[in-house]
Amino acid sequence: MFNKSMCKHKGTPTWLFIVLLILWVSDAKAQTNWTQDWSGKLNISSEMSLTLVLHIKQKEGQYLASLDSVDQGAMGIPASKVKIENNDLVLEFSNIGAQFKGEHSGTKINGTFHQGGQKFPLSFAPISQELKQQISKTSSRPQEPKAPYPYLEEEVNYSHVEQKFTFAGTLTKPKGEGPFAAAILVSGSGPQDRDSNIMNHKPFKLLADHLTRLGFAVLRSDDRGTGQSKGTFSGTTINEFSYDVESAFNYLSTRSDINPSHIGLIGHSEGGITAPLFAARQPKVAFVIMLAGLGVPGTELWATQQKELGLAAGLSDGKAIYDMQLKAAQMSKNKASFDELVALFNTIPNANKALIDTMAKMLSSPWGHSFMAYQPKNVLSKLKMPLLAINGDLDIQVKAKDNLDSLRKIMLQTKNKDVTISSLPGLNHLFQRAKTGYINEYAKITETMDPNTLKLIGQWLTNRF
């Protein structure tokens, strides 16, 4: 391998060159190529695992990192801290309260993922081409509308009816002077942007596009404290959210291009509570469409939902889950405190403290108290305008049969003659065509919303306005 000229440099002994070369080669092999894409499986339980993709790059001498939770459709979660020393890696993700500590060994990064007081072993390896192709395929959202549009799109701002803050939204409307019939889209639980963006799906953008092409104006807005809207989301009750709906209704009523007698509401999930709450006190609302909106009391919805989510996660005793969660929901309805709810959940064998704290905090909040106290009969019985209520029969968040059966009983006792209630086969909570309806399918399904559901909503409206 070596000739004499290589080994005799200014009297340097041959063995020294060999030692230096060995050291150099060893050092080269020890260098870790951090700046690449890595993938790993986070095993939550025997029944559930999540595919994670870690992106590490360098910019101006600094390491940057982001995380994709592929199965949840949560992409590009930024690392708030990246520390790399020799073969050790520390990442913090403040947005989701998580941390990863690992060590490079061979071709892998072996370590531990921390979140919510729990620890999970996690190993990352360089991402395979096969997984890249799989992610590219499942992250496709072919239904997402793309400009140019055959209608007008306007960025709008309007004031809250009671509080001193403004909402920001997008109004799509057909070309021409109008006045047009209009729909206000009302989002479900949690702070959501105007597109109701979930797992890279934008169902409200798609629904607005579909209805505007049919001749309707559609207003979709960022929730209070979200996106470009002002105000505070935390601590708001469902009744207070209904005044956000009223704010949008009042704003559209002032526009000369909108027919004030043809303004209606389309609410998804919790939006199927807040929209009817407003419509029940404002008879000028032209129509209400409930997409997986509630026909059962809040306590029953909560207990059933938690049971279904538990079974989907691999738990076996559905009755025990239901009984415990129903008791917790009834306590919340009676405005139980955080400590009282923690005490209840601590009676569960091997209960997870972090999960208990999260659930107790939610149920003891003003929102939790108001949601559990919700009685749909008191609200829906006041609706005299045309009503469309639909559920996917695979929905595990709002079970279709019990929900729609209850809704039918309520509406049969009213004088409202224009009520349409339908269970749609093979659809989940987002009205996607699904196999199980489980939440971990949402991101994997490329369809944002079933075309037949869009058609049903559009035809129901065009038959009336």
Side-chain angles (χ1 to χ4, degrees):
M1 291 178 63
F2 306 99
N3 58 42
K4 292 182 178 179
S5 63
M6 290 175 60
C7 299
K8 293 183 179 179
H9 180 66
K10 294 185 179 180
T12 305
T14 300
W15 62 266
L16 182 57
F17 271 95
I18 293 173
V19 171
L20 289 172
L21 184 59
I22 291 172
L23 289 173
W24 181 85
V25 171
S26 299
D27 185 60
K29 288 182 178 178
Q31 296 299 311
T32 303
N33 179 18
W34 295 103
T35 54
Q36 57 180 308
D37 294 336
W38 308 79
S39 67
K41 281 281 187 182
L42 185 67
N43 295 310
I44 307 297
S45 68
S46 59
E47 302 292 334
M48 176 181 280
S49 65
L50 297 174
T51 299
L52 302 182
V53 175
L54 175 64
H55 307 277
I56 301 179
K57 61 182 180 179
Q58 266 190 317
K59 184 177 181 181
E60 298 177 353
Q62 298 291 320
Y63 283 106
L64 303 173
S66 64
L67 188 69
D68 299 337
S69 182
V70 177
D71 300 320
Q72 296 176 304
M75 315 299 276
I77 303 166
S80 52
K81 176 182 177 181
V82 181
K83 183 180 179 181
I84 295 177
E85 289 185 353
N86 300 319
N87 287 335
D88 296 325
L89 171 67
V90 177
L91 300 172
E92 293 184 3
F93 302 91
S94 58
N95 286 0
I96 58 173
Q99 183 187 67
F100 174 75
K101 292 183 178 181
E103 180 182 4
H104 181 267
S105 177
T107 59
K108 292 187 176 182
I109 305 172
N110 299 316
T112 305
F113 185 86
H114 305 250
Q115 187 179 38
Q118 294 182 286
K119 299 179 181 180
F120 305 93
L122 176 61
S123 292
F124 286 106
I127 192 169
S128 66
Q129 191 62 34
E130 180 182 3
L131 181 56
K132 280 185 179 180
Q133 292 173 349
Q134 178 185 335
I135 292 172
S136 176
K137 182 179 179 181
T138 57
S139 62
S140 171
R141 302 293 181 251
Q143 288 178 292
E144 183 174 333
K146 304 292 184 184
Y149 307 116
Y151 51 80
L152 303 176
E153 190 175 51
E154 181 183 346
E155 299 301 301
V156 300
N157 291 277
Y158 55 93
S159 299
H160 192 274
V161 291
E162 291 188 333
Q163 301 178 35
K164 295 181 178 180
F165 69 87
T166 57
F167 292 96
T170 299
L171 178 66
T172 54
K173 61 179 182 176
K175 293 179 179 178
E177 295 183 2
F180 305 105
I184 297 167
L185 305 188
V186 186
S187 67
S189 302
Q192 298 187 37
D193 69 13
R194 66 192 69 187
D195 295 329
S196 197
N197 197 323
I198 177 172
M199 302 183 185
N200 291 326
H201 288 289
K202 299 178 180 178
F204 274 13
K205 183 175 183 179
L206 176 62
L207 182 55
D209 176 86
H210 179 75
L211 295 180
T212 308
R213 290 172 186 267
L214 293 177
F216 295 89
V218 181
L219 175 63
R220 63 189 200 274
S221 303
D222 298 332
D223 287 347
R224 59 161 72 195
T226 307
Q228 298 177 47
S229 290
K230 308 302 181 182
T232 302
F233 190 93
S234 178
T236 306
T237 66
I238 58 171
N239 190 59
E240 288 169 336
F241 281 129
S242 76
Y243 285 90
D244 298 356
V245 182
E246 182 174 348
S247 303
F249 183 88
N250 288 359
Y251 165 69
L252 286 187
S253 298
T254 65
R255 292 184 60 116
S256 61
D257 52 358
I258 302 298
N259 186 334
S261 64
H262 287 170
I263 303 173
L265 314 173
I266 303 177
H268 177 248
S269 195
E270 188 182 312
I273 297 177
T274 53
L277 274 169
F278 167 59
R281 64 175 185 264
Q282 176 50 277
K284 291 182 179 179
V285 171
F287 62 87
V288 172
I289 298 178
M290 298 169 60
L291 307 177
L294 263 65
V296 297
T299 51
E300 183 179 334
L301 183 280
W302 175 264
T304 301
Q305 182 186 86
Q306 297 306 307
K307 179 193 76 173
E308 293 297 324
L309 292 173
L311 294 175
L315 301 179
S316 57
D317 196 342
K319 184 179 186 304
I321 299 171
Y322 180 88
D323 291 345
M324 171 60 71
Q325 294 293 351
L326 182 61
K327 187 173 183 179
Q330 289 169 339
M331 288 175 61
S332 175
K333 176 183 174 182
N334 294 324
K335 298 187 176 181
S337 69
F338 174 84
D339 290 340
E340 289 172 326
L341 288 159
V342 167
L344 171 67
F345 288 130
N346 274 332
T347 63
I348 303 172
N350 303 314
N352 179 276
K353 183 181 185 305
L355 185 59
I356 284 176
D357 287 353
T358 298
M359 197 162 288
K361 183 177 180 181
M362 183 182 299
L363 291 174
S364 63
S365 69
W367 173 87
H369 293 159
S370 68
F371 187 94
M372 301 310 152
Y374 180 67
Q375 296 292 327
K377 183 177 180 180
N378 299 339
V379 177
L380 301 178
S381 61
K382 298 176 183 177
L383 303 185
K384 297 179 172 57
M385 65 287 294
L387 172 68
L388 170 65
I390 57 177
N391 264 93
D393 73 347
L394 292 181
D395 189 343
I396 69 167
Q397 293 183 251
V398 180
K399 290 291 286 184
K401 187 178 186 308
D402 293 346
N403 191 60
L404 296 183
D405 284 351
S406 178
L407 212 158
R408 287 188 186 96
K409 290 178 182 178
I410 293 170
M411 298 313 295
L412 281 173
Q413 296 173 16
T414 73
K415 295 181 180 180
N416 191 333
K417 302 301 181 183
D418 193 351
V419 176
T420 305
I421 301 173
S422 296
S423 177
L424 307 182
L427 304 185
N428 62 19
H429 187 63
L430 302 185
F431 295 90
Q432 300 168 306
R433 285 171 290 188
K435 292 181 180 179
T436 66
Y438 294 173
I439 292 175
N440 62 5
E441 276 187 323
Y442 295 174
K444 298 175 184 177
I445 300 173
T446 60
E447 178 181 78
T448 295
M449 198 169 185
D450 169 46
N452 289 327
T453 301
L454 291 170
K455 185 178 180 181
L456 184 158
I457 296 169
Q459 286 184 339
W460 186 88
L461 282 172
T462 53
N463 288 342
R464 288 162 177 78
F465 301 98

